[in-house]
Amino acid sequence: MSSVRLLVIVGATAVGTALLRYLPALFATRPAPHRLERLLQAVPAAALGALLTQSAPTALPPGHPLTLTLALAAALVLAVRPGGVLWPVAGAVAVAATGLLLHWT
Amino acid sequence: MSRVTRIVDPRAVPIALGYLPVAFAFGLAAVSLHTPAWFPILLSFFVYAGASQFAALHLVATGSPTLTVILAVWLINLRMALESVSFFRRVHWPRPPRALALWLTDETFVAASLGPAPEHWEFLRMAWLPYAVWVAGTVLGALLGAILPNLLKDAFGISIDALFITLLVSTVRDNPRTVWAALAGGAATVLTSPLGGWSLLLGMVLGALVHLAIPDARREAQP
């Protein structure tokens, strides 16, 4: 992996994200139009759907066809439980433990 | 007000505790995907936006074009503009402290939106600890990732997909209609996969547009 490429990614994403946070702080005098608000609300879900579709096939380790299924099941079960940011963390840890177990067996 | 609460708002503590293991997992996952340790640390220090950092990591590891990585991060973080608009319409700060917007995250936004509008020094007391813990957790994960066995690192590689799923379920639970955006985003990514790295961006944009095209029943029901 080229260091220059990674630095470009860090720089560009940092500047873009800073502008997204800071510019509204300077110019937020009117609410966003309703359609824009709905579009912005949908982007994270669309992004996650796209990311999962792209990454799921590569997340399946060869020789362990159950890993992804179990990982998805554990994450989903934990995610639907109520209670703030700790549940996604618990989901990630559970999935990592499942992956570890399947690598060992 | 005690000496401790003069420095840290009590609302910052659960946020920071939640950030620590996620940041650790991020640093560890980055090293397990064979990026240099400074890459996740700089991302946490300068970008400070969890889901988009994981997405950037995944896209870099899968060899996506640089522009795709950058645009994907911007798209995922678009919601921060909306949060910033909402937050800064409530508070009436002078211009210099508005730079604290850089520490506005989903969690600090929600915490700061409860109760009366905070002054800038109150927001500072709430926001610095989660940021410090996020960076420190990433450093810890990235450094430990270099000495942990490969077996453990491989297992943590799956945690990225798990985090995507948990974030998606949380998003859909907050706003059930966004499930259509997720499904359309996934379908569009598959259908445009011959286009290579661009399929991800097309998936995001098309998914969000499909959500926009579906009538908002709650709004139409209003008089």
Side-chain angles (χ1 to χ4, degrees):
Chain A
M1 261 173 244
S2 156
S3 294
V4 174
R5 179 177 177 243
L6 295 179
L7 277 173
V8 167
I9 289 170
V10 170
T13 53
V15 169
T17 305
L19 289 176
L20 286 171
R21 282 173 168 144
Y22 187 55
L23 288 182
L26 294 180
F27 304 110
T29 53
R30 291 189 306 172
H34 177 68
R35 286 176 73 82
L36 176 61
E37 196 173 319
R38 284 187 61 204
L39 191 68
L40 292 178
Q41 281 173 352
V43 166
L48 289 166
L51 281 165
L52 272 170
T53 310
Q54 197 191 50
S55 72
T58 58
L60 195 64
H64 297 289
L66 277 177
T67 305
L68 186 66
T69 312
L70 289 176
L72 300 190
L76 280 170
V77 167
L78 288 165
V80 295
R81 297 286 296 273
V85 293
L86 283 177
W87 281 108
V89 177
V93 172
V95 167
T98 308
L100 191 62
L101 190 67
L102 287 169
H103 276 284
W104 265 333
T105 52
Chain B
M1 191 183 286
S2 73
R3 186 175 293 177
V4 173
T5 53
R6 262 202 297 268
I7 300 170
V8 180
D9 188 302
R11 287 175 288 183
V13 177
I15 298 174
L17 284 176
Y19 279 4
L20 182 61
V22 182
F24 182 81
F26 175 67
L28 196 58
V31 175
S32 72
L33 292 171
H34 308 295
T35 67
W38 56 261
F39 179 63
I41 294 171
L42 287 186
L43 275 180
S44 284
F45 191 85
F46 288 113
V47 179
Y48 185 37
S52 69
Q53 289 182 216
F54 275 97
L57 188 61
H58 164 74
L59 291 171
V60 166
T62 52
S64 297
T66 303
L67 192 58
T68 301
V69 181
I70 293 166
L71 291 177
V73 170
W74 288 353
L75 274 174
I76 294 171
N77 289 341
L78 265 178
R79 74 189 185 286
M80 287 172 177
L82 194 67
E83 290 171 355
S84 189
V85 167
S86 170
F87 182 71
F88 282 95
R89 280 179 51 76
R90 285 184 68 228
V91 299
H92 301 285
W93 298 352
R95 186 162 280 214
R98 291 184 176 219
L100 288 173
L102 300 181
W103 282 353
L104 202 61
T105 64
D106 295 341
E107 291 77 19
T108 53
F109 165 71
V110 171
S113 299
L114 304 172
E119 293 297 331
H120 57 86
W121 51 270
E122 289 174 312
F123 182 75
L124 178 63
R125 280 172 50 230
M126 189 192 300
W128 76 264
L129 183 66
Y131 174 71
V133 166
W134 181 257
V135 175
T138 306
V139 171
L140 207 59
L143 295 182
L144 280 180
I147 55 173
L148 286 175
N150 285 335
L151 193 66
L152 192 63
K153 286 191 280 185
D154 286 346
F156 260 95
I158 306 169
S159 68
I160 291 186
D161 298 279
L163 277 170
F164 286 156
I165 294 168
T166 52
L167 288 168
L168 179 60
V169 173
S170 301
T171 306
V172 170
R173 198 173 53 192
D174 291 344
N175 186 352
R177 296 176 65 255
T178 54
V179 73
W180 298 111
L183 290 173
T189 304
V190 172
L191 292 174
T192 58
S193 57
L195 298 174
W198 292 102
S199 66
L200 187 80
L201 277 181
L202 285 170
M204 288 183 195
V205 173
L206 291 174
L209 288 175
V210 164
H211 179 265
L212 196 62
I214 297 171
D216 188 343
R218 280 181 303 182
R219 187 174 170 85
E220 285 177 357
Q222 290 173 357

